[in-house]
Amino acid sequence: MPVSSQNSQLIYDALKSAGVRLVSALPETWLVHLVGLADDDPEMILVRLAKEEEGIGISAGAHLAGVSSAMLMQNHGFLASVNSIVSLAQLYRIPLLMLISFRGEFGETDPWQTEGGGVTIPVLDALGIPWKRLDSPSVVKKSIQDAMTLSSANLRPVALLLCRDLMWEDAN
Amino acid sequence: MKRIDAIQAIYPAIADHVVVTIMGATAAELFACGHRPNFFYLEHAMGLASSMGLGIALARPDLKVIVLDGDGSVLMNLGGLSTMARSGPPNLVQIVFDNEVLLSVGVSFTTATADVANIEGIARESGVPRTATCKRVEELRECVDMALASNELTTIVAKVEPVGPKSFFIDPHMLENRFEFERALRRMGDSKPIGDVNE
Ligand SMILES: Cc1ncc(C[n+]2csc(CCOP(=O)(O)OP(=O)(O)O)c2C)c(N)n1
């Protein structure tokens, strides 16, 4: 599979060293290795979601109960979760580390990903969510730690966009 | 049965545990029975009280978590029942007050439980290992006691009349409630959160 297992491992290790103990996920192709790593790790609680917005509730509960969590989803899952982000995470000042695979950018071959790809950043901006693109292995560890630090300080959601160049091997 | 009478009857059993309630009428009725720092009133984010309860139950296996839910809220997050069931935390009890309407919006907009849907059936077929439907206060009280003693994920549907409180007043501000609740959880129970580095 051309999904980068090496970079998935890098992301996973960075999540763990940032203190993440619970991951809720609704994957797509790019996220399969990450979900597998969480599943194989006895120290990680993996919650397989039926719909992404459940993950906002689960992370809110985990946070209030003292556990750091992260969400794994694609940008369409983020778009599907907007009300829960606004009405729970933002309204109640819940830190939320969202790892969003960023489909529909330059190089996208699936026509159905392209509309969502075009509106992802405008929607993040409209919600006032700080975001950063992860497009090279060299930025992964520090960006994930920095995102966690900011979100724990301002008690708000943050987004890391997992980009094609990082996740998909034959893109290079 | 009236929901306020039902909440009053189960209050002694739930008061020392973690309680997450849905917005509006249910929140106000729980508040009227006596506020506790270990009660969280999830205003506005419809459907997510059960997901929050799941997050807490997974993070703190040493605590018992009770979610006071509503038929409209459950129907808005039906997938959440299957997520709850497959995660299967034994320390989570969901009580769904099924009044067959969206009461808190002030109108009698009926939900599907008024004519076709059966939440206990949906929960059972979603894989929740213990389910029940209660129509009387006494029955509910017994069911809740049994659920708390059982150490098994439970969904109880309490069929209630479509009546609510006159006011939805709750004293702690939403954010005050959020921080107080977080602090209360830290003081409760006998263990630290899972994976706590200071364990
Ligand atoms: C996404 C969304 N849609 C609509 C509302 C408005 N709303 C607030 S409470 C409520 C009804 C909740 O119904 P139920 O869970 O059955 O509880 P009840 O009010 O009957 O106690 C609705 C529709 C909302 N808060 N969020």
Side-chain angles (χ1 to χ4, degrees):
Chain A
M1 189 164 358
V3 183
S4 171
S5 50
Q6 206 178 335
N7 290 344
S8 299
Q9 182 76 52
L10 200 63
I11 295 166
Y12 189 75
D13 293 345
L15 286 174
K16 281 207 79 173
S17 58
V20 170
R21 293 292 171 269
L22 184 151
V23 163
S24 66
L26 206 166
E28 53 130 14
T29 330
W30 291 9
L31 299 173
V32 289
H33 292 317
L34 270 169
V35 172
L37 288 165
D39 200 17
D40 291 343
D41 181 354
E43 289 176 358
M44 190 65 81
I45 299 180
L46 170 66
V47 184
R48 295 167 193 274
L49 304 172
K51 186 172 183 186
E52 289 84 355
E53 57 178 328
E54 297 169 46
I56 319 288
I58 291 167
S59 280
H63 172 74
L64 297 182
V67 167
S68 291
S69 65
M71 287 185 69
L72 294 178
M73 59 192 163
Q74 68 150 284
N75 43 350
H76 297 87
F78 159 71
L79 293 172
S81 306
V82 166
N83 176 54
S84 300
I85 292 169
V86 172
S87 298
L88 208 176
Q90 297 189 330
L91 196 57
Y92 277 100
R93 300 300 296 261
I94 303 291
L96 187 66
L97 184 62
M98 298 186 286
L99 273 75
I100 301 169
S101 59
F102 194 6
R103 301 302 306 266
E105 275 211 291
F106 281 11
E108 180 63 62
T109 52
D110 296 344
W112 46 88
Q113 306 283 8
T114 57
E115 284 300 314
V119 300
T120 299
I121 287 179
V123 173
L124 282 165
D125 285 339
L127 298 176
I129 297 176
W131 56 268
K132 188 170 180 179
R133 303 170 57 92
L134 298 190
D135 46 18
S136 134
S138 62
V139 301
V140 166
K141 188 167 167 45
K142 184 166 186 309
S143 300
I144 288 180
Q145 182 57 61
D146 288 352
M148 183 64 111
T149 304
L150 174 63
S151 126
S152 313
N154 71 357
L155 302 180
R156 286 184 183 281
V158 292
L160 291 166
L161 300 172
L162 307 181
C163 297
R164 175 171 294 271
D165 288 346
L166 183 71
M167 304 309 291
W168 197 249
E169 274 179 338
D170 62 4
N172 302 314
Chain B
M1 91 178 115
K2 292 201 170 66
R3 182 173 50 200
I4 182 70
D5 298 332
I7 295 177
Q8 244 153 24
I10 61 172
Y11 187 89
I14 65 174
D16 291 330
H17 300 299
V18 178
V19 180
V20 177
T21 160
I22 59 163
M23 71 204 82
T26 306
E29 286 177 344
L30 177 66
F31 175 75
C33 292
H35 175 63
R36 315 251 318 192
N38 46 301
F39 291 177
F40 184 73
Y41 312 98
L42 180 61
E43 297 294 351
H44 190 62
M46 200 172 156
L48 291 184
S50 54
S51 302
M52 264 193 86
L54 174 60
I56 298 169
L58 292 172
R60 290 293 304 270
D62 59 313
L63 302 179
K64 286 203 190 292
V65 182
I66 295 115
V67 173
L68 303 186
D69 224 324
D71 49 308
S73 298
V74 168
L75 290 169
M76 195 175 274
N77 183 12
L78 271 189
L81 279 173
S82 62
T83 303
M84 217 170 76
R86 71 199 302 219
S87 306
N91 55 336
L92 181 59
V93 177
Q94 178 191 35
I95 302 169
V96 184
F97 291 108
D98 181 2
N99 56 15
E100 304 185 352
V101 294
L102 301 179
L103 185 93
S104 298
V105 287
V107 288
S108 286
F109 184 97
T110 57
T111 66
T113 62
D115 29 52
V116 290
N118 164 1
I119 290 178
E120 188 201 347
I122 299 170
R124 188 176 46 241
E125 296 304 317
S126 299
V128 176
R130 282 176 61 90
T131 63
T133 297
C134 301
K135 295 205 163 105
R136 289 174 299 108
V137 170
E138 207 34 56
E139 205 185 339
L140 176 67
R141 198 200 331 242
E142 275 168 31
C143 249
V144 170
D145 287 345
M146 269 158 44
L148 285 169
S150 75
N151 229 23
E152 201 168 26
L153 173 67
T154 304
T155 296
I156 299 168
V157 178
K159 294 295 275 188
V160 292
E161 294 168 37
V163 288
K166 287 202 179 63
S167 133
F168 290 175
F169 175 77
I170 287 179
D171 187 26
H173 181 272
M174 293 168 65
L175 288 179
E176 187 182 354
N177 179 219
R178 172 238 186 272
F179 286 106
E180 149 188 84
F181 179 75
E182 181 179 15
R183 218 172 290 123
L185 260 54
R186 242 181 268 143
R187 288 193 305 262
M188 289 170 77
D190 51 22
S191 75
K192 298 203 166 61
I194 44 108
D196 194 307
V197 281
N198 301 318
E199 234 166 346

